[in-house]
Amino acid sequence: AQKGPLLLSRHTLYPRMQILSAPSSRYLPFEISKPQSKQPGISSPEKWLQISVTNPSSSLFPAPRSSSSSSHKTSCCFTTRAASTEVGASETSAESRSSAESDVLKALSQIIDPDFGTDIVTCGFVKDLEIDEAQGKVSFRLELTTPACPIKDLFEKQANEVVAGLPWVKNVSVTMSAQPAKPMYGAMLPPGLQTISNIIAVSSCKGGVGKSTVAVNLAYTLAGMGARVGIFDADVYGPSLPTMVSPENRLLEMNPEKKSIIPTEYLGVKLVSFGFAGQGRAIMRGPMVSGVIDQLLTTTEWGELDYLIIDMPPGTGDIQLTLCQVVPLTAAVIVTTPQKLAFIDVAKGVRMFSKLKVVQQFGIPHLFDLPIRPTLSASGDSGIPEVVADPLGEVAKTFQELGVCLVQQCAKIRQQVSTAVTYDKSINAIKVKVPDSDEEFLLHPATVRRNDRSAQSVDEWTGEQKLQYTDIPEDVEPEDIRPMGNYAVQITWPDGFSQIAPYDQLQTMERLVGVVPVSVSS
């Protein structure tokens, strides 16, 4: 293990700040679950900041024993009747079970997930359904998208009630669980990030406005909701994490065999900061810092995490660009104070995210007004987050609301992105429904393949088309389609070529019209 001195850095807060969470792609704006009567406008930065940021018998019968034809006939008849009786009983039992299962699923389909607007059966939440109709027992598991689901207790209560309401049910057993940590595009990520479901950036682009305080308290709020969480302090020049938390082991360790970094922990949250590397503050140029950030983030053994919170450094330079391009951000939280100067810098940061297709500039707001109290500043300096020190206080309630909003929007984003582009083999068409759009259209696979704009298809220097129309057969079919970040999909073709198709490019292609699925009857 590498050891060295610990550096502590102080975190300064202004009297009041605004927090906003929103979608990570300009195609995935957050939707407001409860519309507000008045929305603060951008024209009054002294009061509010409005920004939007980062988708399932046979029976064996003994042979008849007989030496005479008469006896044989009797035995055959007996055997046939027995077979008929047993098969009939089996069919009746199967039909009964099928009916009971249908009853249970129909009852559960009354429960609607408010984020997806779909019942929990269609969402695929119902797992391990077991039914003993004779004794009136039903057991099943509800596998939610995240252990931090804010309405998991409500789901459990409703599931018990609707199934218990069936006339033949006497006992109901519901087990709650969550899907394993799985990123939307794991195969395309560095090994260290392949078991992280959601990566959240907390940014301000202006120093000293409370960004680190928000990052740390948000992380511990999500952990308190049942999620597996990590914090990555991306500020190499002035790391704040060592001051704001108090882990027993204050130095990062190195796994000599894997040459990977083992994060330290505090209250169940995994922590990585340059301040825990024993190097103090960094004195180096931008490219070197970007390399350090990339190494710390991608070679750490994060394990399975539901949320990784990245405390972004202030500014819009090389480090921020590196993080936004290397890491597929699910969503982001922007922090600012009401002062005009802070607002100006934050707006620059949002524009940077927008150019990188991480955000939609000034989109639908999710604003959280957090008053800065002396206890919040004191807890930041003491090494104990405020939401841990006072879990029932006003500050903790605000962070709870922010945590709930973040969990809901991440689930929406993952669901939307995972179903944005699919292939329907029955009609040999690629279905596209770009997030943040009600429009759904069809594209011919050959058209998509021929419109590839990579260097393999188009000369980078001359713009000459290298891929010819006749190079692609009309009956070509994609082998695999996966989300690529929050702005494109990766399509694998039979010839082994991997095509990156941005949503905005798919929207400009020639579309199929008048195509309907073909039903094949036997």
Side-chain angles (χ1 to χ4, degrees):
Q2 297 180 347
K3 296 184 178 180
L6 170 70
L7 171 69
L8 304 181
S9 64
R10 301 187 65 81
H11 183 71
T12 306
L13 296 173
Y14 282 91
R16 199 169 186 83
M17 63 185 173
Q18 306 290 336
I19 311 172
L20 166 76
S21 78
S24 59
S25 166
R26 64 191 183 110
Y27 300 117
L28 297 172
F30 290 178
E31 298 177 0
I32 304 175
S33 56
K34 294 183 178 180
Q36 302 174 2
S37 57
K38 294 183 180 180
Q39 298 292 356
I42 300 174
S43 60
S44 303
E46 71 281 356
K47 184 175 181 181
W48 291 92
L49 175 65
Q50 179 179 353
I51 318 173
S52 178
V53 195
T54 76
N55 73 4
S57 145
S58 63
S59 301
L60 296 178
F61 301 100
R65 287 185 308 175
S66 177
S67 57
S68 66
S69 60
S70 174
S71 174
H72 176 74
K73 184 176 181 180
T74 304
S75 298
C76 280
C77 291
F78 175 80
T79 301
T80 303
R81 287 195 298 270
S84 177
T85 301
E86 293 190 28
V87 170
S90 176
E91 291 177 349
T92 301
S93 176
E95 291 176 359
S96 176
R97 174 175 175 79
S98 177
S99 176
E101 183 175 311
S102 177
D103 288 346
V104 172
L105 295 178
K106 184 177 180 180
L108 290 173
S109 65
Q110 301 175 60
I111 305 174
I112 305 298
D113 186 303
D115 297 327
F116 299 154
T118 309
D119 67 89
I120 62 174
V121 177
T122 303
C123 287
F125 293 168
V126 182
K127 307 288 186 181
D128 304 333
L129 176 59
E130 294 183 4
I131 299 174
D132 186 342
E133 191 174 5
Q135 298 187 29
K137 293 183 178 180
V138 177
S139 66
F140 54 90
R141 177 169 57 91
L142 291 183
E143 185 183 73
L144 306 181
T145 56
T146 170
C149 176
I151 56 174
K152 56 187 175 184
D153 292 339
L154 178 61
F155 276 157
E156 183 177 8
K157 178 176 179 292
Q158 291 179 337
N160 268 293
E161 291 176 348
V162 296
V163 176
L166 296 175
W168 55 272
V169 175
K170 299 178 181 178
N171 180 273
V172 182
S173 175
V174 183
T175 303
M176 304 300 293
S177 68
Q179 297 173 0
K182 182 182 179 182
M184 290 183 286
Y185 13 81
M188 295 173 279
L189 298 177
L193 303 179
Q194 290 184 3
T195 53
I196 302 175
S197 292
N198 302 282
I199 301 179
I200 313 299
V202 178
S203 177
S204 66
C205 303
K206 182 72 175 177
V209 298
K211 168 181 55 61
S212 295
T213 295
V214 171
V216 171
N217 281 278
L218 174 59
Y220 281 93
T221 297
L222 293 171
M225 295 169 66
R228 294 161 295 183
V229 184
I231 306 176
F232 178 67
D233 183 357
D235 194 344
V236 171
Y237 294 119
S240 300
L241 198 56
T243 301
M244 308 191 75
V245 294
S246 304
E248 184 177 345
N249 181 9
R250 303 185 71 87
L251 286 170
L252 298 174
E253 297 181 353
M254 180 71 72
N255 185 325
E257 296 180 358
K258 298 181 180 180
K259 295 184 179 180
S260 57
I261 299 170
I262 302 174
T264 186
E265 288 191 28
Y266 178 59
L267 300 178
V269 175
K270 296 183 178 181
L271 313 167
V272 171
S273 170
F274 190 75
F276 291 137
Q279 303 294 321
R281 286 183 172 86
I283 303 177
M284 58 183 77
R285 294 186 181 275
M288 295 178 63
V289 173
S290 297
V292 170
I293 290 293
D294 182 67
Q295 181 182 6
L296 285 172
L297 178 60
T298 62
T299 65
T300 292
E301 295 181 15
W302 292 106
E304 289 194 357
L305 293 181
D306 299 299
Y307 303 94
L308 174 61
I309 306 298
I310 298 183
D311 182 5
M312 300 280 285
T316 57
D318 290 342
I319 300 175
Q320 291 79 7
L321 291 172
T322 297
L323 284 169
C324 290
Q325 292 174 334
V326 171
V327 179
L329 299 176
T330 308
V333 174
I334 304 296
V335 184
T336 186
T337 53
Q339 286 79 11
K340 184 176 181 180
L341 186 59
F343 171 80
I344 292 173
D345 285 348
V346 143
K348 291 178 182 177
V350 174
R351 294 188 184 99
M352 175 196 72
F353 282 124
S354 181
K355 288 181 180 180
L356 295 172
K357 300 194 176 181
V358 176
V359 311
Q360 177 181 10
Q361 182 178 336
F362 304 124
I364 302 173
H366 282 268
L367 295 171
F368 297 84
D369 183 21
L370 179 65
I372 302 303
R373 300 183 179 278
T375 55
L376 184 57
S377 300
S379 65
D381 292 336
S382 69
I384 303 176
E386 176 70 4
V387 297
V388 175
D390 186 13
L392 300 179
E394 182 181 349
V395 171
K397 290 179 181 178
T398 300
F399 276 106
Q400 185 73 19
E401 294 173 0
L402 174 59
V404 168
C405 177
L406 190 66
V407 167
Q408 292 173 332
Q409 302 308 326
C410 284
K412 284 184 181 179
I413 291 171
R414 292 176 63 87
Q415 191 270 343
Q416 291 176 332
V417 170
S418 64
T419 58
V421 182
T422 58
Y423 176 62
D424 189 334
K425 189 176 179 65
S426 68
I427 56 175
N428 187 29
I430 293 177
K431 291 183 177 181
V432 182
K433 187 180 187 304
V434 175
D436 189 30
S437 172
D438 295 330
E439 183 184 25
E440 183 173 345
F441 55 91
L442 302 174
L443 299 174
H444 194 288
T447 299
V448 176
R449 178 67 179 86
R450 289 167 181 150
N451 277 274
D452 175 59
R453 305 304 297 170
S454 70
Q456 185 169 332
S457 303
V458 179
D459 189 286
E460 292 183 283
W461 295 101
T462 66
E464 181 184 353
Q465 187 73 32
K466 296 162 62 176
L467 179 69
Q468 300 302 313
Y469 187 93
T470 55
D471 292 340
I472 306 300
E474 286 294 323
D475 60 351
V476 67
E477 298 182 14
E479 291 189 342
D480 186 41
I481 300 179
R482 296 185 181 183
M484 179 72 176
N486 289 339
Y487 71 97
V489 290
Q490 181 182 46
I491 307 175
T492 304
W493 300 97
D495 60 359
F497 179 68
S498 224
Q499 176 182 357
I500 305 301
Y503 293 148
D504 53 6
Q505 183 189 12
L506 293 175
Q507 288 178 300
T508 64
M509 295 182 187
E510 183 181 0
R511 304 178 182 183
L512 291 173
V513 294
V515 179
V516 294
V518 179
S519 59
V520 180
S521 58
S522 57

